[in-house]
């Protein structure tokens, strides 16, 4: 089965957040959808957890109202001029934690939608290459990191683009094959050592913490 189809199907099986965790008041959110930005770190946990968590907002919480193709274009031209001739195209459907834009045929720009999601950039860059060595499906690989600037106040990333289509009920050839591929992916992911993993806390929305 096409790896992009499988990954997008996993995303559709996990609920998105029901409220934005980047508000000035204390907010309750459900765990974000699978495979969005720093998602691979918590794949198994998301499949077995329906709990919500409480977050305390701080000064770092800030939302950029207009993340557009024009902004993505300006960021590429200013920080990565070697790619200034590559087209920038909005990815649909978009994500929640990040806004994504195709860069040419082989890359994707990911801009955090709020400051509270910026910590995922360093986690992706550290852990996605580790996951790649353990799983047989293709997963995004970090290519370059954008720095904060006058155009955009937070770090951002450029990853490898995985070509494919969104998996839907009408384009699944075999549910048995899908179940087998999904189970194999989760089994492979379980082999990754979490010894140096991110400690649960506000920086990762308390994922992996004690649910009591």
């Amino acid at each position: 089965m096409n790896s992009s189809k499988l990954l997008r199907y996993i995303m559709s099986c996990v609920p998105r957040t029901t409220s934005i965790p980047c508000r000035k008041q204390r907010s309750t959110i459900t765990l974000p959808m699978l495979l969005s930005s720093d998602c691979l770190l918590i794949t198994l946990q998301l499949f077995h957890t329906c709990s919500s968590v409480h977050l305390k907002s701080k000064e770092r919480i800030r939302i950029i109202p207009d993340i557009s193709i024009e902004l993505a274009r300006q960021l590429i031209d200013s920080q990565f001029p070697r790619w200034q001739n590559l087209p920038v195209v909005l990815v649909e459907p978009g994500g929640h934690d990040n806004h994504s834009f195709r860069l040419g045929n082989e890359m994707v720009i990911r801009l955090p939608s709020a400051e509270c999601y910026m910590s995922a950039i360093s986690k992706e860059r550290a852990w996605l290459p580790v996951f790649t060595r353990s799983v047989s499906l293709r997963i995004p690989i970090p290519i370059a990191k954008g720095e904060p600037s006058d155009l955009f106040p937070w770090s951002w990333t450029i990853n490898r683009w995985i070509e494919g289509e969104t998996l839907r009920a009408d384009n699944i050839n075999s549910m048995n094959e899908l179940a087998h591929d999904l189970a194999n992916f989760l089994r492979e992911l379980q082999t990754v050592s979490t010894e140096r993993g991110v400690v649960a806390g506000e920086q990762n929305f308390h994922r992996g913490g004690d649910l009591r």
Side-chain angles (χ1 to χ4, degrees):
M1 172 177 288
N2 181 288
S3 62
S4 179
K5 272 190 178 184
L6 177 58
L7 294 179
R8 294 186 187 193
Y9 180 77
I10 298 172
M11 289 170 63
S12 70
C13 294
V14 180
R16 294 174 180 265
T17 55
T18 54
S19 61
I20 304 299
C22 298
R23 295 176 177 174
K24 293 184 178 179
Q25 71 271 21
R26 188 177 178 91
S27 303
T28 301
I29 63 167
T30 57
L31 291 171
M33 69 178 185
L34 179 63
L35 299 176
S36 169
S37 181
D38 61 349
C39 48
L40 285 173
L41 295 173
I42 54 163
T43 304
L44 295 179
Q45 183 182 343
L46 283 176
F47 269 89
H48 297 289
T49 304
C50 298
S51 173
S52 59
V53 296
H54 292 279
L55 303 177
K56 289 183 179 179
S57 306
K58 292 188 176 179
E59 295 78 11
R60 69 186 184 91
I61 294 178
R62 183 171 152 213
I63 297 175
I64 292 292
D66 183 23
I67 300 180
S68 63
I69 291 178
E70 290 73 20
L71 173 60
R73 175 81 275 165
Q74 289 178 305
L75 290 172
I76 293 298
D77 292 349
S78 62
Q79 297 195 29
F80 301 99
R82 64 186 180 276
W83 294 325
Q84 62 184 358
N85 294 325
L86 296 178
V88 175
V89 179
L90 179 66
V91 174
E92 294 286 359
H96 175 271
D97 295 7
N98 296 271
H99 292 263
S100 299
F101 303 86
R102 291 282 301 274
L103 177 61
N105 295 323
E106 299 180 354
M107 294 178 285
V108 58
I109 306 164
R110 291 168 57 77
L111 304 178
S113 59
E115 188 173 8
C116 52
Y117 301 124
M118 188 178 64
S119 64
I121 300 297
S122 58
K123 288 184 285 186
E124 283 185 353
R125 294 183 62 81
W127 284 95
L128 285 175
V130 175
F131 294 145
T132 298
R133 298 193 291 268
S134 298
V135 299
S136 54
L137 292 177
R138 295 182 68 203
I139 61 175
I141 295 298
I143 295 174
K145 179 184 177 184
E147 300 299 333
S149 66
D150 292 339
L151 292 171
F152 192 72
W154 311 315
S155 298
W156 49 283
T157 189
I158 300 174
N159 289 352
R160 178 181 68 181
W161 172 258
I162 300 178
E163 192 62 53
E165 60 182 299
T166 301
L167 192 64
R168 306 180 307 273
D170 60 359
N171 64 6
I172 297 175
N173 296 323
S174 169
M175 289 299 294
N176 288 336
E177 181 184 356
L178 173 64
H180 178 273
D181 290 348
L182 176 58
N184 186 62
F185 176 77
L186 296 177
R187 190 164 48 241
E188 292 173 341
L189 196 60
Q190 275 190 309
T191 67
V192 179
S193 173
T194 59
E195 182 178 351
R196 293 185 298 165
V198 179
V199 177
E202 186 172 331
Q203 80 284 350
N204 67 347
F205 303 106
H206 299 272
R207 292 163 178 163
D210 193 341
L211 297 179
R212 290 177 295 177

